[in-house]
Amino acid sequence: MRVSQMFIPTLRQEPAEAEIISHKLMLRAGFIRKSSAGVYTYMPLGYKIIKKISEIVREEMDRANGQEVLLPIIQPAELWQETGRWDVYGDEMFRLKDRHNRDFCLGPTHEEIITDLVRGEVKSYKQLPMLLYQIQNKYRDERRPRFGLMRGREFIMKDLYSFDVDEAGLDISYKSMYQAYSNVFKRCGLEFSPVEADSGAMGGSTTHEFMAIADSGEAEIVYCKTCQYAANTEKAPCNDPQGEVIQSDQMKVLELVETPEVQSIEDVAEFLKVDKKDTVKTLVYEADEQLVLALVRGDRELNEVKLQNLLGASILEMADAGKVASEMGCEVGYLGPINKDIKVIADYEVKYLGNTVVGANKAGYHYVNANPARDFNVESYGDLRMIEKEDPCPKCGKELTFARGIEVGQVFKLGTKYSESLNAKYLDENGKEQLMVMGCYGIGVSRTMAAIIEQHYDENGIIWPVEIAPYKVVIVPVNEKDTEIVEFAEGLYTELTQSGIEVALDDRKERAGVKFKDADLVGYPLRITVGKTYKEYGEVEINIRRTGERITEKSEQVVSWVQAYLEDNK
Ligand code: 9G3
């Protein structure tokens, strides 16, 4: 490829709207351009990366007996109505009508489509297991698309669906996908960790998320260096501390105290000279439009995923301030569970609080000496709090470590959730009708490109792992007017190309410095400079992007040196 003919609009300045490094660098290196919020064009170099990641994914899916298909993006509402999901996903689903006024959506995922296909074609156990996958755009109208490709409204996903005769078969498919994912992310040069995750609205039992470790990751993970336990903090369980429940003769008289302009837990604890542990945090949620009070100890953080699961709610949203004021009669700083005929659920730890502080549902007032058993009724206690550093490993009890991660893959055991609602059955060896047992497995292909950059960059730009790089080598003749330099550079370009290496020749009429900066920004693994050293000693300079090393090599040795380097570093 000749850089003078390529559409690679690099930028010197950092784009203002980009907050994380992968977004900044993909814009500056000319890999993507924004079309609208969360919707991007993949420019020539960016799309080369997408194709390389997709090829790695295909090889590993095919190795695991996956068969590639391409499913429709336009999906009929009827299928989503059959599974009952048409009304579950509100504004996040892109919906449209055709010319006959029929309802469709742009596919956010393909469980309905693929199960509808298979239920019509698979009749016998002899046809199972069947693993079908696609690499295709997905559409989700995120409320706040951000971080470039990290959270887009149109993104590229590989989604595979497995169909087995029973749970044992699903286990085999799940394990084989788990291995295939490890292969994919290793080949992409990613440092990743599979973590236990919450299956949420997907139902089903087991699910793992493959997290690329990165400080910019939206997900928080917790892991144990002793027993390798690893989980998304949304899922990591906290146990019931089995403390002492206060005896009634220890309970003091409930007292209303004035706490003017004191709203946050910190302020209340300070004003009343108590520890945050001796207060109750009251939060108001709408669970499928029903108001719920969720209580956790004052020093803890509520885990909304655990709350949603405990309530079995399809949609869980924090009640907005207006709703709180009208339903509770005060603003959030003074909320409490006393004298409220609203459903109250509480974290286990609240059970063991005695003579504690709660909001009085009256602006400027709190109650002290509140006792759960006496003063307010908790409908149910459960694990509602976010796991913390001091908590013991849920598996072995040892110390926990926290990290942030980018979710690049997820594998789900679906069981019969979709085969039941869509009646996808097969005849077993006894001719008896059985429900197919399913799994679904996603890789964020476009998100993976961003994650690779988040783990492979420096102050000069991207550092592509060799297998992913858009071109393995860039040749930089330092002076376009010097025929000796240009001739050798052209010759080297031809020789490397003929030896099957993807090479770029920066033949632009630009100063050498500009070419060097662009080479570092775009992130080619190797840069070969043809300049003074060539004219004087017949040698070229080779810059190794990953290590910053610079070596000189005899011009006749260059091709074999490059082949050896690429072989050793793939
Ligand atoms: C929707 C909308 C958004 C969604 C879904 C449905 C996430 C939805 C979960 C999955 C599960 C797996 C197959 C590949 C791997 C992930 N967001 N999910 O079902 F209608 Cl608007 O997509 N699907």
Side-chain angles (χ1 to χ4, degrees):
M1 179 272 286
R2 293 169 181 281
V3 177
S4 63
Q5 294 161 6
M6 279 292 281
F7 182 30
I8 313 175
T10 53
L11 307 171
R12 279 283 148 261
Q13 282 68 36
E14 228 163 62
E17 82 272 16
E19 296 160 79
I20 60 172
I21 191 67
S22 56
H23 189 193
K24 290 179 176 140
L25 291 177
M26 281 195 277
L27 288 171
R28 283 195 50 213
F31 279 65
I32 59 171
R33 282 294 181 269
K34 179 175 162 183
S35 166
S36 61
V39 180
Y40 288 86
T41 290
Y42 300 98
M43 302 282 279
L45 287 187
Y47 193 51
K48 277 184 82 68
I49 305 292
I50 292 291
K51 286 187 279 187
K52 287 187 180 295
I53 295 170
S54 300
E55 261 326 289
I56 288 173
V57 168
R58 276 194 182 89
E59 284 169 14
E60 296 304 331
M61 292 305 113
D62 294 350
R63 194 198 311 271
N65 297 324
Q67 296 176 66
E68 186 171 8
V69 296
L70 186 62
L71 301 172
I73 286 180
I74 296 178
Q75 303 190 9
E78 290 75 12
L79 281 180
W80 289 75
Q81 284 153 353
E82 266 189 79
T83 58
R85 296 213 293 172
W86 183 252
D87 300 318
V88 166
Y89 292 89
D91 296 338
E92 194 183 349
M93 183 181 262
F94 276 104
R95 301 165 201 263
L96 68 157
K97 285 181 179 300
D98 68 5
R99 61 191 311 162
H100 309 295
N101 208 30
R102 283 190 292 251
D103 289 319
F104 293 84
C105 71
L106 297 183
T109 184
H110 283 71
E111 281 81 7
E112 281 77 3
I113 291 285
I114 195 78
T115 309
D116 174 46
L117 171 76
V118 169
R119 73 178 169 183
E121 303 298 334
V122 172
K123 294 294 170 223
S124 158
Y125 70 98
K126 293 175 187 152
Q127 295 170 276
L128 300 176
M130 184 184 285
L131 280 66
L132 301 174
Y133 77 93
Q134 65 165 349
I135 298 177
Q136 166 88 279
N137 277 0
K138 288 280 187 292
Y139 297 86
R140 296 177 186 176
D141 199 356
E142 296 284 347
R143 189 195 307 264
R144 284 185 56 230
R146 56 189 184 146
F147 299 162
L149 299 184
M150 210 64 89
R151 182 166 292 278
R153 296 196 293 170
E154 174 186 78
F155 55 96
I156 301 171
M157 182 194 276
K158 180 285 303 174
D159 40 333
L160 183 141
Y161 303 86
S162 64
F163 296 84
D164 280 281
V165 294
D166 56 18
E167 290 289 338
L170 170 57
D171 270 350
I172 294 167
S173 299
Y174 192 85
K175 284 192 176 67
S176 120
M177 276 295 114
Y178 195 99
Q179 181 57 54
Y181 276 45
S182 301
N183 299 346
V184 166
F185 297 124
K186 212 173 295 156
R187 291 179 60 186
C188 287
L190 275 178
E191 183 199 354
F192 68 92
S193 165
V195 304
E196 290 180 30
D198 176 69
S199 48
M202 285 312 289
S205 53
T206 313
T207 177
H208 284 85
E209 286 164 346
F210 283 73
M211 294 289 184
I213 310 301
D215 291 342
S216 63
E218 288 186 318
E220 186 182 39
I221 59 182
V222 60
Y223 61 96
C224 174
K225 291 177 178 163
T226 308
C227 73
Q228 311 316 315
Y229 172 80
N232 186 317
T233 51
E234 288 175 350
K235 157 114 189 176
C238 305
N239 53 24
D240 178 340
Q242 304 291 353
E244 291 289 306
V245 178
I246 187 169
Q247 300 303 313
S248 49
D249 59 358
Q250 302 293 314
M251 295 179 189
K252 294 177 186 166
V253 176
L254 183 69
E255 201 185 326
L256 186 65
V257 296
E258 204 170 348
T259 53
E261 293 314 303
V262 167
Q263 298 206 32
S264 75
I265 288 284
E266 284 73 15
D267 299 346
V268 168
E270 196 181 319
F271 182 83
L272 295 173
K273 308 263 177 288
V274 295
D275 191 297
K276 283 197 300 188
K277 283 187 173 55
D278 295 322
T279 69
V280 172
K281 190 186 286 181
T282 301
L283 300 149
V284 190
Y285 280 87
E286 284 189 83
D288 295 340
E289 267 123 52
Q290 191 207 4
L291 268 190
V292 172
L293 294 188
L295 312 184
V296 292
R297 210 173 67 186
D299 61 321
R300 300 299 198 185
E301 191 194 331
L302 176 78
N303 178 324
E304 291 190 346
V305 170
K306 290 180 180 177
L307 176 64
Q308 182 161 1
N309 290 343
L310 208 67
L311 291 168
S314 299
I315 296 182
L316 181 83
E317 286 173 333
M318 205 141 196
D320 62 37
K323 192 116 201 181
V324 169
S326 62
E327 297 286 338
M328 305 295 287
C330 68
E331 62 259 50
V332 288
Y334 301 102
L335 290 176
I338 294 177
N339 298 335
K340 274 291 151 195
D341 57 355
I342 291 181
K343 180 176 183 166
V344 176
I345 75 169
D347 180 69
Y348 290 126
E349 293 181 324
V350 172
K351 201 189 315 175
Y352 309 106
L353 291 178
N355 299 320
T356 186
V357 177
V358 296
N361 293 320
K362 188 167 179 268
Y365 287 85
H366 279 76
Y367 282 113
V368 297
N369 302 331
N371 286 283
R374 180 190 65 188
D375 303 318
F376 51 92
N377 64 320
V378 173
E379 184 179 292
S380 64
Y381 284 98
D383 172 9
L384 288 182
R385 70 180 176 86
M386 191 60 85
I387 196 166
E388 295 182 2
K389 190 137 181 43
E390 298 71 31
D391 286 307
C393 166
K395 253 212 175 80
C396 76
K398 292 284 189 298
E399 191 189 341
L400 288 174
T401 309
F402 282 64
R404 300 207 70 86
I406 300 166
E407 181 190 325
V408 286
Q410 46 188 165
V411 291
F412 287 82
K413 282 187 182 174
L414 289 174
T416 55
K417 174 179 160 88
Y418 291 92
S419 38
E420 190 147 17
S421 54
L422 292 171
N423 200 31
K425 293 181 173 162
Y426 69 91
L427 289 179
D428 67 15
E429 60 276 17
N430 306 319
K432 191 165 172 301
E433 270 200 340
Q434 304 285 0
L435 287 173
M436 296 182 202
V437 179
M438 291 174 62
C440 64
Y441 317 82
I443 288 180
V445 172
S446 41
R447 185 180 273 185
T448 294
M449 171 156 80
I452 293 169
I453 297 174
E454 292 291 330
Q455 291 189 356
H456 297 278
Y457 73 94
D458 65 11
E459 66 281 1
N460 300 314
I462 302 169
I463 304 176
W464 290 110
V466 167
E467 184 161 4
I468 300 286
Y471 291 92
K472 313 301 177 198
V473 182
V474 61
I475 301 170
V476 177
V478 295
N479 178 350
E480 281 305 305
K481 295 189 186 64
D482 184 315
T483 45
E484 196 184 348
I485 285 178
V486 168
E487 257 168 41
F488 177 74
E490 288 283 347
L492 182 57
Y493 173 63
T494 306
E495 215 182 330
L496 283 172
T497 306
Q498 283 170 352
S499 67
I501 291 170
E502 293 168 293
V503 53
L505 171 64
D506 193 342
D507 58 347
R508 292 176 295 169
K509 306 229 174 311
E510 292 275 0
R511 285 182 298 101
V514 168
K515 297 185 182 184
F516 293 168
K517 276 200 176 304
D518 277 359
D520 287 347
L521 176 60
V522 166
Y524 305 104
L526 293 174
R527 183 182 97 216
I528 298 177
T529 304
V530 183
K532 206 157 41 64
T533 321
Y534 171 68
K535 291 180 69 80
E536 286 168 16
Y537 311 108
E539 291 175 346
V540 296
E541 284 164 22
I542 302 175
N543 282 61
I544 300 172
R545 182 73 182 84
R546 177 158 299 288
T547 61
E549 270 172 285
R550 193 176 75 176
I551 61 157
T552 55
E553 191 60 42
K554 286 226 161 305
S555 53
E556 59 275 14
Q557 301 297 323
V558 176
V559 173
S560 51
W561 187 94
V562 168
Q563 284 168 325
Y565 177 85
L566 296 179
E567 188 53 35
D568 295 348
N569 289 278
K570 69 181 186 192

